[in-house]
Amino acid sequence: MLLIAGCTTGPSLETRGRVTAPPGDSRHLTVGSAGFTESDLLAHMYATLLNHAGYHTSVLTVANRELYEPALESGQIDVVPEYAATFADWLNTRTHGSDAPPVGSPDLAATMRSLRELAAPRGLSVLDPGRAVAQNAFAVTRAFARRHQLRTLGDLGRSGLKVRLAAGDECVRRPYCAPGLKKTYGIDITAVDPKGVGTVQAKRAVQSGRDQMVLTTTTDATLDEFGLVLLADDRHLQNADYVVPVVNRARAGTARVAKALGALAPVLTTQDLASMNRQVDSWRRLPEDVARNYLQEKGLLK
């Protein structure tokens, strides 16, 4: 952690050559986690797959992108699980400033092109995304959905119902949140109740009827416990936040690493991630055990 805290914001002039150096293949690889359940699970799956491919690995938790991304550039961390649109916008801001137009979008192909263009000069390679996506999502109570025949956000917009939304206070101005719900779906958002994204307090507010909808994520593991169901984003308001492995090219840029991590891409689904999150958050199982069991069940550790 002390080493990471001393990282610079990118390759120095002395190390800039690493950006264009041939792909490296270090025998020991450090996999980074951002410290929340889903990131822990993905990091342990990556580490286990790399171990199975003959690498020695360790998992390091750095709960802040401002710290772990420079560490990834410098080679103190070799692999991290990321989310395509969010990471593309983050790198874009670092590269072009906070006023730069966002490059993440609902279009996965366009988002990946932008992400790879931004990552390459920093000595990073972005591997192929899989099926799993952890996007912002909106949930209502099962009873509310049944009573008003709601399956999608489009259904909610057409219903003309007034909606008080439990979310983070930034939802008032974020284009994917209240403004987007109004513009894209015509949903009548009467107020934003600032209780956070997917927090227990936010879900309880919807469960009790104080609010009608909550901002959460597609991999939320606890919706059933509150009697909540997601409404489908049928007009694709949310960005393409598909799970992608990002590697330090000089240490882990070979086809061997890509093959080991790529085995997970066609298998892991959004529902699988939600199920594993539940095992850790609700059943109190260890992320490393849940990750290994999943890989074994899917036949990825043969």
Side-chain angles (χ1 to χ4, degrees), residues 16-171:
R16 188 73 68 173
R18 296 179 191 169
V19 172
T20 55
D25 194 24
S26 176
R27 300 302 303 163
H28 183 95
L29 298 175
T30 300
V31 182
S33 165
F36 57 93
T37 297
E38 189 167 289
S39 188
D40 287 344
L41 285 163
L42 289 164
H44 282 290
M45 282 191 279
Y46 289 0
T48 302
L49 288 168
L50 290 167
N51 284 338
H52 190 65
Y55 294 92
H56 299 286
T57 66
S58 57
V59 175
L60 178 64
T61 298
V62 186
N64 185 311
R65 189 178 276 115
E66 284 77 8
L67 290 177
Y68 74 66
E69 191 279 332
L72 181 63
E73 290 187 27
S74 70
Q76 291 176 299
I77 293 175
D78 304 303
V79 184
V80 295
E82 263 293 357
Y83 301 93
T86 296
F87 196 46
D89 282 336
W90 195 84
L91 288 180
N92 189 47
T93 296
R94 284 197 63 206
T95 303
H96 300 296
S98 58
D99 294 331
V103 294
S105 76
D107 185 330
L108 176 60
T111 296
M112 287 297 297
R113 282 196 299 272
S114 296
L115 174 54
R116 283 172 166 152
E117 288 171 2
L118 289 160
R122 297 180 177 277
L124 307 179
S125 294
V126 183
L127 306 186
D128 290 338
R131 300 165 62 191
V133 56
Q135 294 171 304
N136 294 299
F138 297 90
V140 298
T141 65
R142 190 174 286 107
F144 185 83
R146 186 168 51 246
R147 183 163 63 250
H148 298 290
Q149 299 182 330
L150 306 176
R151 293 178 178 271
T152 69
L153 290 170
D155 292 338
L156 181 56
R158 287 186 291 273
S159 74
L161 292 165
K162 294 185 182 300
V163 174
R164 181 178 163 95
L165 176 63
D169 54 9
E170 71 278 2
C171 178

Side-chain angles (χ1 to χ4, degrees), residues 268-288:
L268 182 67
T269 66
T270 305
Q271 291 73 24
D272 291 341
L273 266 182
S275 174
M276 285 188 281
N277 284 338
R278 183 181 300 110
Q279 292 178 54
V280 175
D281 291 338
S282 298
W283 303 355
R284 301 295 184 239
R285 297 183 62 190
L286 294 174
E288 52 266 41

Side-chain angles (χ1 to χ4, degrees), residues 41-42 44-54 130-131 256-269 272 276 290-302:
L41 285 163
L42 289 164
H44 282 290
M45 282 191 279
Y46 289 0
T48 302
L49 288 168
L50 290 167
N51 284 338
H52 190 65
R131 300 165 62 191
R256 186 180 174 199
V257 168
K259 181 179 179 181
L261 298 178
L264 185 62
V267 177
L268 182 67
T269 66
D272 291 341
M276 285 188 281
V290 174
R292 174 169 286 278
N293 288 342
Y294 176 80
L295 297 176
Q296 289 174 335
E297 289 170 5
K298 296 299 182 179
L300 296 179
L301 299 181
K302 293 178 181 178

